[in-house]
Amino acid sequence: VNGNPSQYKITLSGTVKSPKLNFDPPFLILMPVPLDVETEADLSIIPQDYLRPSQIRVELPEVELEDGNRIYPFSVQYPEGQDIVLSSDGKNNQLICHISFRSSKPVSFLGNMCFTDEEEN
């Protein structure tokens, strides 16, 4: 620049993409089962636009029974881990999430599981 900054102009432009998670299937219906029998399903989590490694977390819903007691009948496992990593081609690898439900009391539930990363995306 040599003391004359007006001689050079640089224009920068860009697009900021927020990381997000997509799911396949987008919603999950678990089969009705007898009491104390587990029902389960696998869900693919497809991370997009993550530029650095992160880890998936899930907030499991609490279910209120007819007698007023509260239970957590859902459990989640990640058979291949819950870390979001970049592949060699710059894309994020998908994760498998194994969701199961078991209750010793009669219950029907419709609700959300909230999946987030370390930065609450």
Side-chain angles (χ1 to χ4, degrees):
V1 180
N2 295 334
N4 191 358
S6 61
Q7 193 173 16
Y8 299 96
K9 287 190 177 186
I10 297 174
T11 303
L12 301 174
S13 65
T15 303
V16 176
K17 292 184 178 183
S18 295
K20 64 182 179 177
L21 300 172
N22 290 318
F23 300 90
D24 185 27
F27 61 91
L28 195 59
I29 299 174
L30 297 172
M31 295 297 297
V33 292
L35 295 178
D36 257 342
V37 173
E38 188 171 81
T39 183
E40 55 193 7
D42 285 341
L43 176 71
S44 294
I45 301 173
I46 306 153
Q48 290 186 320
D49 301 323
Y50 280 84
L51 302 176
R52 60 180 173 265
S54 191
Q55 191 173 73
I56 296 292
R57 299 176 185 164
V58 62
E59 183 179 318
L60 297 175
E62 180 182 60
V63 177
E64 185 172 350
L65 301 174
E66 289 180 6
D67 63 6
N69 287 328
R70 296 180 178 274
I71 61 171
Y72 289 89
F74 293 96
S75 64
V76 171
Q77 295 178 336
Y78 303 90
E80 300 168 5
Q82 61 196 84
D83 294 328
I84 297 173
V85 295
L86 295 172
S87 64
S88 58
D89 62 0
K91 293 183 180 178
N92 301 122
N93 293 335
Q94 78 174 12
L95 305 169
I96 302 299
C97 178
H98 183 79
I99 299 173
S100 59
F101 173 91
R102 179 191 301 250
S103 177
S104 60
K105 303 281 186 173
V107 65
S108 179
F109 175 78
L110 173 64
N112 296 315
M113 288 184 176
C114 183
F115 290 85
T116 59
D117 63 19
E118 295 166 341
E119 297 180 6
E120 302 298 321
N121 292 306

